[in-house]
Amino acid sequence: MSSRLCPLDNMDVQQQNNNSAWESPDPRGWDDGAATAKLFECSRIKALADERDAVQKKTFTKWVNSHLARVSCRITDLYADLRDGYVLTRLLEVLSGEQLPKPTRGRMRIHSLENVDKALQFLKEQRVHLENVGSHDIVDGNHRLTLGLIWTIILRFQIQVIKIKTEDNRETRSAKDALLLWCQMKTAGYPEVNIQNFTTSWRDGLAFNALIHKHRPDLIDFHKLTKSNATYNLQQAFNTAEQQLGLSKLLDPEDVNMEDPDEKSIITYVVSFYHYFSKMKALAVEGKRIGKVLDQAMEIEAIVERYEALAAELLAWIQHTITIISNQKFANSLAGVQQQLQAFTAFCTLEKPVKFQEKGNLEVLLFTIQSKLRANNRKLYVPSEGKSISDINKAWTCLEKAEHEREVSLRNELIRQEKLELLAQRFDHKAAMRETWLNENQRLVSQDNFGYDLPAVEAAMKKHEAIEADISSYQERIQVVVELALEMESEGYYDTKRISAQKDNILRQWGLLTELVGARRARLEQNLALQKIFQEMVYMIDWMEEMQVLLVSKDFGKHLLEVEDLLQKHGLLEADISAQTERVQALNAAALKAGSPGPGYQPCDPQIICNRVNHVQTCLEELGELAGKRRKELEDSRQLWAFFQEMEEAEAWIREKEQILAAKTCGRDLSSVLTLTSKHKTMLGELGSRRALLHQTMKRGEQILAKKRFSPGGIQEKIREVRLRWKKLEEVTGLHQQRLQEALNFFQFSTETDDLVAWLQDTYRIVSSDDFGHDDYSTQALLRKHRAVVEEVEKHRAAVLALRKQLALLAPEHRQGVDVQIRIVEVEQLYGEVAEVAVLRQQWLQDALAVYRMFSEVHACEVWIDEKEQWLEKMEVPEELDDVEVVQHRCGEGTGTGTDACVPLHLRHPPAAPPAPHVPSPLCPGSRAWTRR
């Protein structure tokens, strides 16, 4: 066995090494006497070891059974029952509380080895060090290693978890030392008990009894025990532990009361005491906690009952109070309302705060209940329906709402009563003041002292407007008195009849005052309107005198622009006069209307008004006559200066056109000549338009002369000069037009000649082509096109012949040119060549068409012969005569009635084969076309 089965105990390792040494002695090194002594000593040690192993086996077996009892399992032989690994796996599951891999079912050795391996692997995962212990050792039933394995398990799951602090809390011990310290601490103070180890310190049994007495003094009378009676002490301790504490009796008295007790067995037994008493202590602490929890529960229940009662009482009071204060009936007097308000104030300041304090106490009480329940991890308390804090708060809110409504109603009623008293006082005071003011103003507006001129009337109007503004602003004060009376009537004031009569009197006086003010304003407006008309008449007369000074002026302008400016200014004056005429008429009508006699107020004598109207009308008529005379003079002046300006413009235009005609040429080509011709036509149009304008201008000059208002010398001279220059311009224009026409004829002739030459050259290229087609169809197409070309050539013959006639019509300077003559000859020669080549090409195309048609018929004959040969080769001669006749009939239908029917008509008597056609090219060397090119 390894020397490290457990880091806490290596005692077995030394013993095993000694045993192995005695089991294999070397007799050669001893003498006989020594051998006998050694043999006895070896036997003695072996007997002691076997005795210790037996004790361990019995102890470990009982220990294992004590734990396997939880899963209804039990062993009888520690060595044999652990071999299959099943019991070992169950034991580890009970001790660790974890689920190990499911054991393999089967009775074979390999199954046992696998199960033990699973258990040992679990111990390794739990950081249990196993050295030299394999699954085969357990399966083979090795006593020492099996005991070592169980001891290791005890150390891991029973002893290693023990941790004890010293009394001064300076050091913490664990495992074996901790267990020894725990035993020493629990037995301290017991006489004759001194635990220093787990062997001899337990032989007398007092230590076991001391441990039981320390925790359960009611089970053992420790003072009656004596050290000398070890067997009794051990038996009593073991029986008490088994019967009273439920601890398995792992040892017997004889296993402990011996010279050298087994340490592991005692440790195993003492560990069971440790775990039991530790659990008992925990249960005691738990019991105290439960008692405390019950006390707290009862206390909480009492508080809950108190809360429910207080909540019900408070809610009842709230409902009763709401019913009382919701009554909206008030006393119909100021003193009665004041008494009700005092009673309500007493409720708010004395009774309600006490109940509010009770409400706060209820919230504190509920918070205390919830805090206690929360501290004990219990479900929070839910008040019964209608008694929660939210329900109380809602009821309290309703109470406060009712209280607020009651307070508002009381105060509104109090304000209403006080307001009625104040309104009555204010009404009496204001009514007296309004009646006095109305009487004074009625006397004031009855007076008419307006004056006799516009400033005086305007001053009277301003004073009247001030009076009106004062009266208008005073209307609000009258309305205040009316509103006071109406308000008191609506509020039910007791002296309503007196208030209403006084209000009606004030309104009647106010109506009379407004009528007087309106009548006085109408009289003032009539007087003011008449005075304004008189003032406007004065302004109009002054303005007409100023206009007369302007209209008698002798300034008629010195040129057209100045005259136009004077006419424009005069037009403005006339427009102003026209506008003022309407204004004068309106003034006269208004004056006559204002002065017409009638039943109403007369601001002035009507005769005075008529005299002023007649004077203004006379001045206006004189002004109109002067304006008409002035316009006629200005119009005549404008005609004169307009004539001179138009004549100057005509002269300038003539000079401009003369310069243009002097600088113009006849052009270099047809386009330039056409452009110049177009411009010349435009200028001729302008010349015609200008001629008509000039005639009109001269006619107006003659009219001016006929009026004899201005000196005739300048007008006649200007007319004569312009006529001479106009005649000269017309002559120059005609000459230039003739030159342009001659140039146009020449350039048109040249252009037509060039076009004809270009067409002849293109046509020559077409008729001299060497393309005669490649078959019957293409040759026919070329022949049709050539015939169209020949027709075009014939059409152009007349154009070529007409060139000589056109040349004769040109101007001498153009038709006598050498280039023109040579050009005519070349055109005629070129036309002759084109006509000749066209005739030759038409003949060649007709010959080629005949050849291609012959080739086509020959090819058709060859195709027909091949078809008949193929039919004849495939035909079978029948044996029956009837069939032969049928075949012969079919042959006759397919080939004709005779042998010649099978051959085309033109091949039945073929002529001698003609030579192959030769189509000479028009471009071949030696031809006239080639030479031409």
Side-chain angles (χ1 to χ4, degrees):
M1 187 175 179
S2 172
S3 61
R4 287 183 175 84
L5 281 174
C6 180
L8 302 176
D9 193 356
N10 58 5
M11 179 178 62
D12 287 346
V13 178
Q14 295 176 358
Q15 292 177 356
Q16 291 173 9
N17 291 336
N18 292 334
N19 293 339
S20 62
W22 286 109
E23 290 174 359
S24 59
D26 187 5
R28 292 176 295 179
W30 296 348
D31 54 11
D32 293 338
T36 303
K38 292 292 185 181
L39 182 59
F40 174 77
E41 185 179 358
C42 182
S43 300
R44 176 63 177 166
I45 292 174
K46 187 174 184 305
L48 292 174
D50 291 340
E51 182 179 1
R52 185 171 57 255
D53 290 346
V55 173
Q56 287 184 5
K57 177 184 178 184
K58 180 177 68 175
T59 304
F60 290 170
T61 300
K62 292 181 178 179
W63 179 81
V64 171
N65 285 330
S66 67
H67 288 284
L68 290 177
R70 303 179 190 175
V71 293
S72 302
C73 187
R74 183 177 179 80
I75 62 173
T76 56
D77 189 347
L78 183 64
Y79 304 139
D81 293 340
L82 294 181
R83 288 183 177 182
D84 59 358
Y86 177 78
V87 174
L88 183 59
T89 301
R90 298 301 300 275
L91 176 64
L92 291 176
E93 287 179 347
V94 171
L95 293 174
S96 65
E98 298 182 12
Q99 186 72 27
L100 272 69
K102 188 176 182 181
T104 304
R105 295 186 177 275
R107 297 177 178 274
M108 298 177 65
R109 175 181 174 80
I110 189 172
H111 297 149
S112 301
L113 290 172
E114 186 176 354
N115 292 335
V116 174
D117 268 334
K118 293 178 181 178
L120 296 180
Q121 183 63 30
F122 174 74
L123 290 173
K124 291 179 181 179
E125 292 174 359
Q126 299 294 322
R127 298 182 181 180
V128 176
H129 184 67
L130 299 175
E131 189 172 347
N132 295 335
V133 178
S135 57
H136 61 279
D137 297 322
I138 306 303
V139 173
D140 293 340
N142 189 312
H143 296 179
R144 297 294 178 86
L145 294 179
T146 300
L147 294 174
L149 178 60
I150 296 300
W151 174 244
T152 301
I153 292 173
I154 293 171
L155 287 176
R156 171 61 182 83
F157 293 102
Q158 294 287 301
I159 300 175
Q160 189 173 345
V161 297
I162 301 174
K163 292 183 180 180
I164 302 296
K165 291 185 179 180
T166 58
E167 293 182 356
D168 54 2
N169 292 329
R170 293 182 179 178
E171 183 180 357
T172 300
R173 298 183 182 182
S174 59
K176 179 181 175 182
D177 293 339
L179 183 61
L180 181 62
L181 178 60
W182 178 78
C183 294
Q184 291 173 352
M185 292 170 61
K186 296 300 179 181
T187 59
Y190 284 89
E192 298 182 356
V193 177
N194 184 16
I195 301 175
Q196 298 298 326
N197 51 46
F198 288 104
T199 54
T200 56
S201 298
W202 302 84
R203 288 175 57 185
D204 55 8
L206 292 177
F208 286 104
N209 284 281
L211 285 176
I212 295 172
H213 184 269
K214 178 66 176 177
H215 296 88
R216 292 291 301 276
D218 57 317
L219 299 180
I220 295 177
D221 188 0
F222 185 81
H223 300 290
K224 293 181 179 181
L225 302 178
T226 60
K227 187 176 182 66
S228 59
N229 196 357
T231 301
Y232 173 78
N233 297 339
L234 291 169
Q235 188 66 39
Q236 182 181 8
F238 295 164
N239 292 336
T240 303
E242 184 178 14
Q243 297 171 6
Q244 301 297 328
L245 304 180
L247 297 176
S248 299
K249 190 176 182 182
L250 304 182
L251 297 174
D252 293 325
E254 58 271 15
D255 297 334
V256 181
N257 188 13
M258 56 188 306
E259 181 180 356
D260 188 13
D262 182 57
E263 183 182 34
K264 295 179 180 179
S265 299
I266 293 175
I267 290 175
T268 302
Y269 195 28
V270 173
V271 164
S272 63
F273 280 90
Y274 169 78
H275 286 293
Y276 176 79
F277 290 134
S278 297
K279 184 177 180 181
M280 186 183 72
K281 182 179 179 183
L283 290 174
V285 172
E286 188 67 24
K288 291 181 181 179
R289 291 178 180 175
I290 292 173
K292 184 177 180 182
V293 169
L294 291 175
D295 293 341
Q296 291 177 351
M298 294 175 65
E299 181 184 359
I300 292 172
E301 187 65 27
I303 298 175
V304 168
E305 292 177 357
R306 182 183 173 194
Y307 172 82
E308 293 283 344
L310 293 176
E313 181 182 352
L314 181 59
L315 288 171
W317 177 83
I318 291 174
Q319 294 298 329
H320 178 68
T321 305
I322 290 175
T323 304
I324 294 175
I325 64 177
S326 297
N327 186 11
Q328 298 295 330
K329 293 182 180 180
F330 306 109
N332 194 16
S333 64
L334 179 60
V337 173
Q338 289 175 347
Q339 290 178 0
Q340 289 179 339
L341 183 60
Q342 290 176 358
F344 178 75
T345 304
F347 160 77
C348 295
T349 56
L350 298 176
E351 185 176 359
K352 182 185 174 185
V354 176
K355 296 300 180 180
F356 184 77
Q357 183 66 31
E358 292 179 3
K359 174 177 170 291
N361 293 338
L362 273 176
E363 293 178 357
V364 173
L365 194 60
L366 180 61
F367 178 77
T368 302
I369 294 171
Q370 304 293 23
S371 299
K372 290 179 179 295
L373 291 173
R374 194 177 291 108
N376 295 329
N377 291 326
R378 290 180 60 189
K379 183 179 179 181
L380 297 180
Y381 163 67
V382 179
S384 58
E385 184 177 0
K387 295 182 181 180
S388 64
I389 293 298
S390 61
D391 295 329
I392 295 173
N393 287 334
K394 290 180 181 178
W396 191 265
T397 302
C398 294
L399 174 64
E400 290 183 339
K401 182 179 179 181
E403 175 191 346
H404 175 70
E405 293 175 354
R406 177 70 173 180
E407 181 180 3
V408 171
S409 300
L410 277 171
R411 295 191 180 279
N412 289 338
E413 182 63 20
L414 181 63
I415 292 171
R416 192 180 73 85
Q417 293 292 338
E418 293 175 348
K419 182 179 178 182
L420 286 174
E421 293 295 331
L422 293 174
L423 287 176
Q425 296 175 5
R426 289 177 58 195
F427 179 81
D428 293 337
H429 177 68
K430 290 181 180 296
M433 293 177 61
R434 303 301 178 265
E435 290 175 348
T436 302
W437 182 86
L438 288 171
N439 292 328
E440 292 178 356
N441 281 275
Q442 287 175 6
R443 179 181 55 80
L444 178 63
V445 298
S446 299
Q447 301 174 0
D448 287 345
N449 46 355
F450 304 144
Y452 300 100
D453 56 3
L454 181 60
V457 176
E458 289 179 346
M461 176 59 77
K462 290 182 180 179
K463 183 177 179 181
H464 182 80
E465 288 175 351
I467 295 172
E468 283 184 335
D470 186 23
I471 294 174
S472 177
S473 63
Y474 212 81
Q475 183 178 3
E476 297 180 358
R477 301 183 182 182
I478 300 297
Q479 189 63 30
V480 169
V481 174
V482 175
E483 290 176 355
L484 287 174
L486 294 176
E487 186 176 359
M488 286 188 291
E489 291 176 3
S490 63
E491 294 293 336
Y493 185 65
Y494 69 94
D495 199 5
T496 305
K497 292 182 179 180
R498 180 183 65 84
I499 298 297
S500 179
Q502 198 168 359
K503 176 197 70 174
D504 294 339
N505 182 36
I506 292 174
L507 289 176
R508 185 171 54 256
Q509 292 184 3
W510 173 258
L512 178 60
L513 177 62
T514 53
E515 290 178 0
L516 293 174
V517 170
R520 189 172 189 272
R521 181 175 185 84
R523 296 192 297 273
L524 260 176
E525 288 176 350
Q526 291 180 8
N527 202 324
L528 180 62
L530 183 60
Q531 294 298 330
K532 287 183 177 180
I533 292 171
F534 288 165
Q535 187 68 34
E536 288 292 331
M537 288 180 175
V538 173
Y539 292 156
M540 289 299 299
I541 292 172
D542 294 341
W543 176 80
M544 285 186 283
E545 290 177 354
E546 294 176 359
M547 291 297 103
Q548 288 177 359
V549 174
L550 295 175
L551 292 175
V552 298
S553 174
K554 297 300 180 178
D555 183 14
F556 303 119
K558 297 180 181 180
H559 51 79
L560 182 60
L561 291 178
E562 186 177 358
V563 175
E564 291 287 347
D565 183 58
L566 291 174
L567 276 172
Q568 186 176 6
K569 291 180 180 179
H570 185 74
L572 295 176
L573 288 176
E574 289 179 334
D576 197 6
I577 292 171
S578 177
Q580 295 298 332
T581 301
E582 296 177 358
R583 184 178 176 185
V584 168
Q585 293 175 356
L587 286 174
N588 292 338
L592 293 173
K593 183 179 179 181
S596 61
Y601 174 71
Q602 293 291 332
C604 182
D605 186 3
Q607 187 60 40
I608 297 175
I609 297 175
C610 290
N611 293 335
R612 293 190 179 187
V613 168
N614 294 332
H615 178 67
V616 172
Q617 188 66 31
T618 302
C619 293
L620 182 62
E621 291 175 356
E622 293 177 355
L623 185 64
E625 293 176 358
L626 290 175
K629 183 180 178 181
R630 172 72 174 172
R631 169 165 287 279
K632 188 174 181 181
E633 294 173 347
L634 288 174
E635 290 288 344
D636 293 341
S637 178
R638 182 174 64 176
Q639 289 181 0
L640 175 64
W641 292 112
F643 167 76
F644 282 119
Q645 183 172 349
E646 289 176 359
M647 296 299 286
E648 290 176 358
E649 290 177 355
E651 287 181 336
W653 186 85
I654 292 171
R655 285 194 299 271
E656 180 185 356
K657 298 305 176 183
E658 288 175 348
Q659 293 174 1
I660 292 174
L661 292 173
K664 281 187 176 181
T665 62
C666 295
R668 298 179 181 179
D669 52 15
L670 180 61
S671 61
S672 61
V673 172
L674 290 174
T675 303
L676 292 174
T677 303
S678 176
K679 291 181 179 179
H680 189 74
K681 289 181 179 180
T682 303
M683 190 181 73
L684 289 176
E686 293 179 0
L687 191 64
S689 300
R690 180 62 67 173
R691 184 185 296 109
L693 294 176
L694 184 60
H695 287 170
Q696 293 178 2
T697 303
M698 290 180 178
K699 187 176 181 180
R700 285 196 294 271
E702 293 174 354
Q703 291 176 356
I704 294 172
L705 289 174
K707 293 180 180 180
K708 298 181 180 180
R709 286 188 180 178
F710 304 100
S711 175
I715 299 175
Q716 293 176 351
E717 183 180 358
K718 179 62 70 174
I719 292 173
R720 185 170 54 253
E721 180 181 356
V722 171
R723 281 178 177 174
L724 291 174
R725 299 201 65 160
W726 182 261
K727 184 177 181 181
K728 183 179 180 181
L729 176 63
E730 287 181 341
E731 293 175 354
V732 173
T733 303
L735 181 60
H736 184 71
Q737 184 176 3
Q738 182 180 358
R739 292 173 58 195
L740 285 175
Q741 186 63 40
E742 293 175 353
L744 178 62
N745 295 335
F746 173 72
F747 286 120
Q748 283 181 347
F749 172 78
S750 299
T751 302
E752 292 175 358
T753 305
D754 293 340
D755 293 341
L756 183 59
V757 170
W759 181 84
L760 289 172
Q761 291 176 353
D762 293 339
T763 305
Y764 186 83
R765 283 193 294 271
I766 293 172
V767 299
S768 62
S769 173
D770 57 354
D771 182 13
F772 300 102
H774 56 276
D775 55 10
D776 186 10
Y777 179 77
S778 61
T779 303
Q780 288 182 357
L782 290 174
L783 185 58
R784 286 193 298 270
K785 292 182 180 178
H786 184 76
R787 288 172 181 170
V789 172
V790 171
E791 292 178 359
E792 290 293 328
V793 171
E794 288 298 325
K795 290 180 181 179
H796 282 78
R797 181 182 298 276
V800 173
L801 296 176
L803 289 177
R804 294 285 181 177
K805 297 179 180 179
Q806 294 179 5
L807 181 63
L809 297 176
L810 296 178
E813 58 182 4
H814 295 303
R815 68 171 176 265
Q816 295 175 0
V818 178
D819 294 337
V820 175
Q821 299 294 333
I822 295 173
R823 189 67 169 169
I824 293 296
V825 173
E826 288 181 351
V827 170
E828 292 175 348
Q829 291 178 355
L830 180 59
Y831 180 80
E833 293 179 2
V834 169
E836 182 181 357
V837 174
V839 172
L840 292 176
R841 177 172 174 77
Q842 183 173 4
Q843 183 63 39
W844 293 335
L845 285 172
Q846 289 175 354
D847 294 344
L849 179 62
V851 173
Y852 285 129
R853 284 179 178 176
M854 181 191 68
F855 287 163
S856 176
E857 292 176 357
V858 170
H859 177 70
C861 182
E862 290 176 351
V863 171
W864 181 85
I865 293 172
D866 291 339
E867 290 178 355
K868 299 309 174 182
E869 287 178 352
Q870 294 177 3
W871 181 79
L872 290 174
E873 289 175 358
K874 295 179 181 180
M875 183 182 68
E876 297 179 358
V877 179
E879 297 177 358
E880 298 293 334
L881 180 59
D882 296 337
D883 297 337
V884 172
E885 292 178 354
V886 171
V887 172
Q888 185 178 5
H889 178 70
R890 290 180 180 176
C891 180
E893 291 178 352
T895 61
T897 57
T899 306
D900 291 341
C902 299
V903 181
L905 182 62
H906 65 280
L907 296 179
R908 293 177 185 176
H909 303 285
H918 174 70
V919 182
S921 172
L923 300 180
C924 62
S927 65
R928 294 180 63 188
W930 177 269
T931 305
R932 175 76 169 76
R933 293 189 178 185

